[in-house]
Amino acid sequence: MMKERIEELLAQIDGLKCKNAKEVEEARVKLLGKKGEITGLFEEFRTFSPDLKKEFGRKINELKQAALAKIDQLREQTAVEAASEGPREDLSMPGTPFSLGSRHPVSIVRQEIVDIFRKFGYDVAEGPEIEDDYHVFEALNFPLNHPARDMQDTFFVSVGHPNPLLLRTHTSSVQVRAMETMKLPIRVICPGRVFRNEAISARAHCIFHQVEGLYIDENVTFADLKQAILLFAREMFGPDTAIRMRPSYFPFTEPSSEVDVSCNICKGKGCNICKGTGWLEIMGCGMVDPNVLEASGIDSKKYSGFAFGMGLERIAMLKWQVNDLRHYFENDLRFLSEFNTAIEV
Ligand code: PHE
């Protein structure tokens, strides 16, 4: 009888579980309290004959020790759980601030321009920054003696080769690649980094970024070019923006033109940003020269097209009135953090 009770209680103690301190105390009273089961066994034990005492003495003591150890263990465990259950943090406290990065002004402007032309149905194309002479100059109708082909203006990677490698001086090279590979009609814009061998100053840098565009189809006219640029200018600089086209020259377009937009700072009245003229120059453009179409295998009797190109640093300068081009490349956080447009995630 005694033997079974001891074994039963040992198993009970072994499997004992308590959720909190109150339950631990209840278990302790039930086993070891004045009227507890183990206390009861001890009382019974006292009445045993010496033989039986000998037989059960050790077992009953082991039972008591097991009960005490288990209660201790449960006490500790429920105390730890209680401590970790309570309110750990005050969630109404202000958080630790950390600074999010911001997008580079040139990236912001590039994205805006790309978004506008995407709406007009243009694709985006990219090409290599290290190009060959053919795609940067020859296919674009640059005569062999054109000054841009001089080491003074262009960074050459290899010289003395009939088609030397060089750092592209404009992303028109990507337009040549588009004409070579895309099916007509072509509507494409080419954003990218370009390189020119210029002395670095507030107004010039040897690295800058462009977005150039190309549209080729049947019956494309100068009126289409003008309308496309006007729509772009109004999306980019506001609905009241006017444009002005001045005759110009590029080897790859004929006729060619520079485009000015009305100064959105003084609204055309004249200020120090537009140098009192009321106009700001933003891009070059023109009708693609038939020689350029033919060089890429496009029938210039059937197809015509227009092209345009603009510098992103220049547009960002106008947009935020930045007065020194060098800021864009110095990665000074004081400058960069001024363009705190929210980053879309
Ligand atoms: N490629 C010219 C430049 O880099 C810009 C341009 C592109 C002009 C297309 C006319 C047509 O300055």
Side-chain angles (χ1 to χ4, degrees):
M1 200 44 193
M2 180 64 116
K3 188 167 174 261
E4 281 85 46
R5 291 290 312 285
I6 291 176
E7 269 161 21
E8 217 175 89
L9 281 169
L10 271 174
Q12 231 182 68
I13 289 164
D14 196 41
L16 192 60
K17 286 199 175 70
C18 294
K19 286 199 207 73
N20 50 40
K22 193 169 157 253
E23 283 185 19
V24 180
E25 182 54 16
E26 278 165 12
R28 189 194 65 80
V29 172
K30 194 161 163 260
L31 292 167
L32 300 159
K34 262 194 197 148
K35 291 183 184 150
E37 295 184 54
I38 296 175
T39 322
L41 283 187
F42 269 96
E43 267 157 27
E44 207 178 308
F45 176 77
R46 240 175 271 136
T47 65
F48 279 6
S49 64
D51 273 359
L52 282 175
K53 274 190 178 156
K54 208 172 173 193
E55 190 183 339
F56 289 110
R58 201 162 56 90
K59 284 205 174 107
I60 199 170
N61 268 315
E62 276 171 6
L63 175 67
K64 191 179 175 185
Q65 290 313 316
L68 284 169
K70 185 74 179 182
I71 295 291
D72 271 355
Q73 183 214 326
L74 287 170
R75 261 191 200 135
E76 217 169 283
Q77 190 182 319
T78 51
V80 170
E81 279 168 11
S84 63
E85 247 172 37
R88 261 165 285 172
E89 276 159 38
D90 179 354
L91 296 179
S92 65
M93 291 280 278
T96 319
F98 61 93
S99 63
L100 263 187
S102 53
R103 287 169 66 206
H104 193 281
V106 171
S107 300
I108 297 172
V109 165
R110 181 186 52 201
Q111 195 58 51
E112 271 183 48
I113 297 173
V114 166
D115 287 347
I116 292 170
F117 281 102
R118 275 238 178 90
K119 270 201 287 197
F120 296 168
Y122 284 68
D123 291 328
V124 179
E126 288 187 353
E129 290 179 351
I130 300 177
E131 257 293 4
D132 53 20
D133 180 277
Y134 177 79
H135 288 92
V136 175
F137 298 128
E138 196 177 327
L140 287 162
N141 204 32
F142 277 79
L144 263 177
N145 58 355
H146 193 282
R149 290 182 149 188
D150 195 282
M151 305 262 286
Q152 300 289 316
D153 292 285
T154 301
F155 291 111
F156 283 86
V157 176
S158 63
V159 275
H161 188 276
N163 184 23
L165 289 178
L166 43 86
L167 300 184
R168 67 181 179 194
T169 57
H170 52 188
T171 58
S172 304
S173 51
V174 185
Q175 304 182 345
V176 174
R177 290 186 178 276
M179 286 189 282
E180 286 170 351
T181 54
M182 290 170 83
K183 280 216 302 229
L184 292 158
I186 294 172
R187 261 197 238 106
V188 74
I189 52 167
C190 315
R193 188 159 54 158
V194 299
F195 309 85
R196 291 185 194 173
N197 193 358
E198 307 231 20
I200 296 170
S201 72
R203 311 225 117 242
H205 208 288
C206 56
I207 304 172
F208 61 99
H209 298 78
Q210 286 188 321
V211 173
E212 296 216 356
L214 176 70
Y215 180 24
I216 302 175
D217 200 351
E218 293 178 34
N219 302 317
V220 178
T221 68
F222 199 90
D224 298 320
L225 166 62
K226 204 172 156 189
Q227 188 64 16
I229 306 257
L230 179 65
L231 287 176
F232 163 72
R234 291 196 167 154
E235 290 273 336
M236 187 78 199
F237 299 104
D240 303 328
T241 309
I243 61 165
R244 176 172 89 165
M245 293 176 118
R246 285 178 287 110
S248 185
Y249 173 78
F250 299 101
F252 35 89
T253 47
E254 183 59 36
S256 306
S257 153
E258 301 279 356
V259 180
D260 299 340
V261 292
S262 50
C263 179
N264 61 349
I265 294 150
C266 63
K267 303 284 170 232
K269 284 194 212 80
C271 64
N272 62 347
I273 301 289
C274 62
K275 300 205 190 70
T277 63
W279 295 96
L280 300 162
E281 185 187 319
I282 57 155
M283 66 165 91
C285 66
M287 300 306 292
V288 181
D289 192 304
N291 286 344
V292 172
L293 295 175
E294 295 291 341
S296 292
I298 295 171
D299 182 354
S300 65
K301 302 234 168 30
K302 191 166 173 210
Y303 291 98
S304 54
F306 62 71
F308 54 86
M310 60 197 124
L312 299 185
E313 283 79 1
R314 182 166 170 78
I315 293 194
M317 271 174 126
L318 301 177
K319 193 175 160 83
W320 289 291
Q321 293 162 44
V322 177
N323 58 9
D324 193 323
L325 205 57
R326 287 167 291 197
H327 288 312
Y328 293 122
F329 301 97
E330 281 167 356
N331 282 338
D332 186 331
L333 286 177
R334 289 169 301 178
F335 173 74
L336 295 177
S337 61
E338 286 189 26
F339 304 90
N340 258 329
T341 49
I343 294 183
E344 287 153 35
V345 271

